[in-house]
Amino acid sequence: MAIYHLSVKSISRSTGRSVVAAAAYRAGQELTDERQGLTHDYTRKQGVEDAFIVAPDGADWAQDRNALWNAAEAAEKRKDAKTGREYELALPAELDADARKELARDFAAELVERYGVVADVAIHEPGREGDNRNHHAHILTTTRTAGADGLGAKTRVLDVASTASAEIEHMRGVWARQVNTALERHQVEQRVDHRSFERQGKEQEPTRHMGVSATAMERQATREIPGREPVTDLGKQNAEIRERNRVLETARKAVEKAQELFSDLEKRARQAVGLARKIGQRMEREREAERQRKELARQAEIRRQQDIRAAEEARKAAETAHNLKRTRSRGRGRSCDRGYDPW
């Protein structure tokens, strides 16, 4: 199942960190921090699948990783300066290596386009221990814009509290859309959502961030006894949260199944009512047709009876006329026989 993860952190001198060292570690290379006079060699680091730099048009000098991050260190004078900003991304395990690289490059290009910075991308394979789907990328960006002549103004929009949170939320949405577009393009059904469970309307409880130390302790414990229970407080809390979420998910699926069954029953009931209505309408039409047939038969019988009576009356009238004629004929005959002459 595709997962969503994007976190943003700063590389700051106030915590004793060097952006040159951070870049060397993430890219698995050897870089020299000219400000401190220290060489950071991580060429033996395993798990770096790929590393490349995305820079604004004209800033070709930034393709040199050592020159880029030493320029970032040299541009800052304050002892608490932020010399870099890191975006950590979860890359979908459902995609192949080329598709994951393209996806990371697209997000880096969006950062370069929006803020005018340089983005140093390092794609890491899953660790030998833990989740083997944990493909991820570290994108280290400058805190200043970059051009043909070097680094320029600070990207204050990401440093000021009033705008930084909105910008990060915007980029979280961008990353979600880019991941979903890539999944759709490669015909993967899963989708991700950058919103919290609460904003999505889900009842799931988010797990707590383990941190490097707690994660290392849990991995060590798993190496010693595979399948053992968590040993750290955070590990135990997350195990309890996952169990609660599992119960909630099981209940949610049961409710969805019940709703699906109810919906199916409701659909069948509507179909049955519709069928009964059609049967009732057909029966009513048949009853009306039978009534009309009987009415027509009744009227035909009335006409037949009327015709019979008329014929009978005509017969009787004819018979009466015939009898009257015969009577008159007989009367004339008798008068002639008696020699009666009216004249």
Side-chain angles (χ1 to χ4, degrees):
M1 177 180 180
I3 61 172
Y4 180 91
H5 174 72
L6 186 155
S7 63
V8 185
K9 296 174 285 187
S10 295
I11 308 296
S12 177
R13 286 178 183 166
S14 62
T15 58
R17 301 184 67 189
S18 161
V19 74
V20 177
Y25 178 80
R26 282 150 186 76
Q29 293 186 358
E30 178 181 328
L31 300 179
T32 299
D33 186 338
E34 296 172 359
R35 186 180 69 88
Q36 294 182 329
L38 298 175
T39 296
H40 305 281
D41 186 358
Y42 292 102
T43 53
R44 299 181 64 182
K45 174 178 170 57
Q46 297 181 347
V48 180
E49 190 172 295
D50 206 343
F52 52 89
I53 291 173
V54 180
D57 292 340
D60 296 337
W61 62 271
Q63 294 296 329
D64 182 332
R65 185 170 282 109
N66 201 78
L68 169 65
W69 296 114
N70 273 292
E73 285 284 358
E76 308 300 336
K77 305 304 179 186
R78 294 169 58 97
K79 61 181 180 181
D80 60 348
K82 293 179 181 178
T83 53
R85 185 170 286 106
E86 180 183 20
Y87 298 79
E88 185 179 88
L89 314 170
L91 300 174
E94 292 80 3
L95 303 180
D96 60 26
D98 289 339
R100 291 193 295 268
K101 178 179 179 180
E102 181 183 3
L103 184 57
R105 184 183 292 276
D106 287 345
F107 186 74
E110 185 71 22
L111 292 171
V112 172
E113 174 69 21
R114 187 171 181 85
Y115 304 116
V117 296
V118 179
D120 189 353
V121 183
I123 299 175
H124 290 184
E125 299 173 346
R128 288 174 293 178
E129 299 154 356
D131 193 341
N132 60 8
R133 299 168 301 174
N134 186 27
H135 296 274
H136 58 283
H138 298 268
I139 301 180
L140 197 60
T141 70
T142 58
T143 59
R144 293 178 177 270
T145 60
D149 298 327
L151 296 178
K154 273 279 192 179
T155 53
R156 294 297 181 189
V157 69
L158 290 169
D159 295 322
V160 180
S162 59
T163 56
S165 58
E167 286 296 316
I168 291 173
E169 180 64 16
H170 171 78
M171 294 311 301
R172 286 176 58 81
V174 168
W175 176 239
R177 289 192 294 274
Q178 289 182 338
V179 171
N180 288 334
T181 298
L183 291 173
E184 182 178 5
R185 185 166 58 247
H186 290 82
Q187 299 180 346
V188 179
E189 293 184 1
Q190 289 86 355
R191 297 292 182 268
V192 299
D193 197 318
H194 68 289
R195 298 172 300 170
S196 65
F197 290 148
E198 182 179 1
R199 288 173 60 194
Q200 293 179 50
K202 294 182 178 180
E203 296 183 358
Q204 282 183 279
E205 182 181 354
T207 54
R208 299 169 185 261
H209 181 63
M210 292 284 289
V212 177
S213 299
T215 299
M217 292 176 66
E218 293 293 350
R219 287 179 176 175
Q220 179 63 33
T222 302
R223 282 197 298 269
E224 294 174 355
I225 306 177
R228 72 180 298 170
E229 295 293 323
V231 296
T232 64
D233 290 340
L234 281 173
K236 292 174 182 177
Q237 290 176 23
N238 282 340
E240 293 173 356
I241 290 171
R242 283 190 288 270
E243 177 60 20
R244 288 197 293 271
N245 286 339
R246 186 191 66 79
V247 172
L248 282 173
E249 181 66 12
T250 301
R252 184 188 64 79
K253 289 181 177 179
V255 170
E256 286 183 352
K257 184 64 175 178
Q259 289 175 338
E260 182 180 342
L261 290 173
F262 178 77
S263 178
D264 184 59
L265 289 174
E266 187 178 27
K267 179 180 178 181
R268 290 175 181 270
R270 286 196 302 268
Q271 291 174 341
V273 170
L275 180 60
R277 184 179 293 113
K278 289 180 180 179
I279 292 173
Q281 291 171 347
R282 186 175 65 184
M283 292 177 65
E284 181 62 28
R285 288 194 298 269
E286 291 176 352
R287 284 194 294 267
E288 179 61 20
E290 179 64 15
R291 186 188 67 76
Q292 293 178 0
R293 185 188 66 78
K294 289 180 178 180
E295 179 62 21
L296 290 173
R298 186 184 69 82
Q299 293 177 3
E301 179 63 19
I302 290 173
R303 287 194 297 271
R304 189 180 72 81
Q305 292 297 330
Q306 289 174 342
D307 290 345
I308 291 173
R309 285 195 298 271
E312 181 65 20
E313 290 174 357
R315 184 188 65 77
K316 289 180 179 180
E319 185 178 346
T320 300
H322 178 71
N323 290 337
L324 182 59
K325 184 178 180 181
R326 287 181 64 187
T327 300
R328 289 177 179 175
S329 177
R330 287 175 183 173
R332 285 195 300 268
R334 282 196 298 270
S335 297
C336 290
D337 289 344
R338 293 174 182 172
Y340 174 75
D341 184 1
W343 302 104

